[in-house]
């Protein structure tokens, strides 16, 4: 049905610092013992991440069914994607033009609502923004 949809081979999301470090070290070494140690580190790290995700999904599900609980997730979007004007293709003559810098933050209150917040960088972007 979606013959024009192309799925990139490489995930475009940023990677975890630990994952990138382990990957780089694996690329550099051919020593079997060191590779085995790095693979164990990666496996332990991935297990921890999966445990954290499972816990999050458990809490989210409880908040959706038990209204005495609340689960909120907040995330900010990559700022370069929200600058205006936003163009799919940028020419050399327009790449250095001034853009209105904006920042979009989304929040989901599981089982209740979702909201989006747009600001023009008029507030400091630190942990207190949320």
């Amino acid at each position: 049905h979606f013959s024009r949809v192309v799925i990139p081979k490489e995930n475009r999301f940023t990677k975890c610092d630990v994952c990138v470090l382990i990957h780089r070290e694996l690329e550099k070494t051919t020593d079997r013992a060191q590779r085995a140690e790095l693979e164990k580190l990666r496996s332990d790290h991935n297990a921890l991440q999966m445990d954290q995700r499972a816990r999050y999904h458990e809490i989210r599900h409880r908040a959706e069914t038990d209204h005495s609980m609340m689960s909120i997730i907040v995330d900010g979007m990559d700022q370069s994607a929200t600058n205006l004007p936003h163009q799919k293709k940028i020419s050399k003559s327009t790449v250095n033009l001034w853009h209105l810098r904006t920042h979009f933050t989304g929040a989901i209150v599981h089982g209740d609502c979702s909201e989006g917040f747009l600001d023009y960088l008029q507030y400091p972007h630190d942990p207190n923004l949320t």
Side-chain angles (χ1 to χ4, degrees):
H1 294 299
F2 300 101
S3 60
R4 293 182 6 210
V5 174
V6 177
I7 299 172
K9 292 182 197 288
E10 180 71 23
N11 185 329
R12 293 181 185 164
F13 288 108
T14 58
K15 309 288 188 268
C16 156
D17 290 339
V18 174
C19 292
V20 170
L21 179 65
I22 292 171
H23 181 79
R24 285 182 183 156
E25 291 300 316
L26 278 167
E27 284 181 331
K28 284 195 271 184
T29 188
T30 56
D31 179 78
R32 286 185 181 197
Q34 193 174 10
R35 288 186 69 79
E37 186 178 325
L38 289 166
E39 290 289 355
K40 170 102 172 71
L41 276 172
R42 180 163 53 185
S43 177
D44 291 348
H45 175 67
N46 287 341
L48 176 64
Q49 299 308 308
M50 289 171 58
D51 287 346
Q52 289 177 343
R53 277 197 194 117
R55 181 77 176 127
Y56 161 71
H57 287 292
E58 176 188 318
I59 291 170
R60 183 186 80 185
H61 177 71
R62 285 178 57 197
E64 289 171 343
T65 56
D66 177 2
H67 294 293
S68 67
M69 277 190 80
M70 181 183 288
S71 172
I72 302 173
I73 187 167
V74 179
D75 196 12
M77 195 171 167
D78 177 22
Q79 291 180 15
S80 65
T82 59
N83 289 345
L84 298 173
H86 183 74
Q87 301 166 333
K88 195 171 185 178
K89 293 186 179 184
I90 301 170
S91 70
K92 288 182 179 182
S93 63
T94 61
V95 71
N96 292 321
L97 293 179
W98 180 86
H99 288 83
L100 175 61
R101 294 184 57 205
T102 61
H103 185 263
F104 185 81
T105 303
I108 299 172
V109 180
H110 295 293
D112 189 21
C113 65
S114 50
E115 297 287 338
F117 306 94
L118 183 67
D119 72 85
Y120 306 104
L121 304 179
Q122 70 267 41
Y123 309 110
H125 281 242
D126 56 23
N128 293 324
L129 178 65
T130 56

